[in-house]
Amino acid sequence: DVKVTQSSRYLVKRTGEKVFLECVQDMDHENMFWYRQDPGLGLRLIYFSYDVKMKEKGDIPEGYSVSREKKERFSLILESASTNQTSMYLCASSSPGTVKEQYFGPGTRLTVT
Amino acid sequence: GEDVEQSLFLSVREGDSSVINCTYTDSSSTYLYWYKQEPGAGLQLLTYIFSNMDMKQDQRLTVLLNKKDKHLSLRIADTQTGDSAIYFCAESDNGGSQGNLIFGKGTKLSVKP
């Protein structure tokens, strides 16, 4: 059974803290994605990676960075957390192919106070 | 740019049919997708349709595609309370890198007993 796991389901951090969100997939997928989900705004792509050590900016990369040192792991970093980064963060992975099915993790609900 | 539009809310009674509509802009999308997000969970692929098809049926689900109008719909027959979720329409991001999808904002389906 395919699996994408995220390190935390719920996280509370203070403004200015450095925050790491980890995502691991066990499907040997090349592509990995980080989204944030906010009510009324749907999913917005933050960063994605299509190979180890490769990264590409999505639609809203400001205030975030990513790391992909190993194929199975894709980390999202909030360099200095701010209250407007309070959100649900979803990680996904996929393999290159005709049908671009993305497999999602359960999400991390981050609250920045 | 590419955009996917869908209404934000739909409410139906248990046993009725639900129809969730979506419009997209990229006529070159090869596949179009429907994802389901249950409360507190990540997204899960529900079904997809190849762009040269008009209809796809899978048990209680029927997907209709009107390529001329760039309109996609998802019909759920005999809707159950367990179908209550957010449904996302998505198309391939053919202008972007491999594997990217463009999601609509999601339609929250509420099923009343």
Side-chain angles (χ1 to χ4, degrees):
Chain A
D1 198 15
V2 297
K3 207 158 187 180
V4 178
T5 56
Q6 295 183 228
S7 49
S8 306
R9 292 300 304 273
Y10 301 94
L11 211 50
V12 179
K13 295 290 181 181
R14 292 196 181 276
T15 302
E17 279 193 81
K18 190 168 185 175
V19 182
F20 293 86
L21 301 182
E22 306 283 345
C23 175
V24 177
Q25 50 95 2
D26 65 359
M27 295 163 282
D28 202 35
H29 282 165
E30 284 80 0
N31 304 326
M32 295 188 76
F33 308 84
W34 274 108
Y35 297 90
R36 63 177 283 176
Q37 182 180 15
D38 301 287
L41 297 178
L43 270 70
R44 292 182 290 168
L45 183 63
I46 304 171
Y47 267 97
F48 61 98
S49 166
Y50 51 84
D51 204 351
V52 176
K53 296 198 186 292
M54 305 296 285
K55 58 185 179 185
E56 295 277 346
K57 292 180 181 179
D59 299 318
I60 50 162
E62 297 79 19
Y64 303 94
S65 62
V66 289
S67 172
R68 185 120 182 249
E69 294 297 316
K70 292 185 178 181
K71 191 176 185 180
E72 67 270 19
R73 187 180 296 269
F74 192 35
S75 304
L76 179 70
I77 303 152
L78 286 66
E79 297 290 342
S80 177
S82 63
T83 54
N84 63 12
Q85 292 178 309
T86 292
S87 187
M88 169 71 89
Y89 290 88
L90 292 166
C91 174
S93 71
S94 72
S95 61
T98 313
V99 179
K100 295 173 181 165
E101 178 175 1
Q102 291 187 11
Y103 294 84
F104 282 80
T108 296
R109 185 165 292 283
L110 172 67
T111 303
V112 183
T113 61
Chain B
E2 293 133 339
D3 200 11
V4 176
E5 302 265 349
Q6 51 184 131
S7 54
L8 293 182
F9 301 99
L10 177 66
S11 180
V12 300
R13 292 213 173 272
E14 193 173 18
D16 287 350
S17 291
S18 308
V19 180
I20 303 171
N21 294 301
C22 168
T23 56
Y24 61 97
T25 55
D26 188 349
S27 57
S28 65
S29 287
T30 311
Y31 287 92
L32 294 143
Y33 308 82
W34 282 106
Y35 279 79
K36 178 183 180 182
Q37 184 182 32
E38 295 185 354
L43 280 69
Q44 188 172 15
L45 182 67
L46 201 55
T47 187
Y48 61 89
I49 187 167
F50 188 43
S51 60
N52 70 351
M53 296 170 65
D54 297 325
M55 185 181 89
K56 179 180 180 182
Q57 188 150 5
D58 183 3
Q59 299 182 331
R60 292 190 298 121
L61 305 179
T62 304
V63 178
L64 294 177
L65 176 60
N66 181 330
K67 208 171 175 186
K68 173 176 163 286
D69 294 338
K70 296 179 192 166
H71 184 266
L72 184 73
S73 68
L74 173 70
R75 179 176 180 269
I76 306 173
D78 187 25
T79 312
Q80 302 298 307
T81 53
D83 295 322
S84 293
I86 303 176
Y87 291 82
F88 291 89
C89 171
E91 64 171 347
S92 305
D93 181 2
N94 295 302
S97 298
Q98 59 178 334
N100 288 25
L101 297 175
I102 298 170
F103 290 89
K105 290 182 170 52
T107 299
K108 185 173 184 178
L109 174 65
S110 298
V111 182
K112 298 183 193 311

